[in-house]
Amino acid sequence: FATGEARYSDSFSQSDKQVSEDMHKAWVNFAKVGNPSIEGQEAWLKFDPNNEKVIEFNAMGAVVKVDPLAIRLEQITSLAE
């Protein structure tokens, strides 16, 4: 994730850099301790199939939100059954 600035230096904004750094921290935390939560930001929740939330990395940090694709995935799953 930290390679974005090198590859897209002409169009790599401060927001892009922050998202890249946050994603990098999350991956490192996950590799080290099995929890990708970033200190000072919303906690990364343990998976719960009854609470379909995702983490979106954006200029405001790692934000917990409802999975925007959950309904579509449920429809596809029901077609396969």
Side-chain angles (χ1 to χ4, degrees), residues 25-76:
K25 287 177 191 174
W27 276 111
V28 168
N29 289 347
F30 182 68
K32 282 184 175 179
V33 297
N35 182 345
S37 294
I38 300 170
E39 188 174 331
Q41 296 190 21
E42 289 189 69
W44 193 292
L45 305 172
K46 184 177 179 180
F47 176 73
D48 177 357
N50 299 315
N51 185 12
E52 297 175 348
K53 302 256 177 149
V54 296
I55 298 283
E56 177 181 275
F57 290 91
N58 59 39
M60 296 180 293
V63 181
V64 177
K65 57 191 291 188
V66 174
D67 185 351
L69 300 176
I71 293 173
R72 289 175 60 190
L73 292 172
E74 288 173 18
Q75 290 171 339
I76 291 168

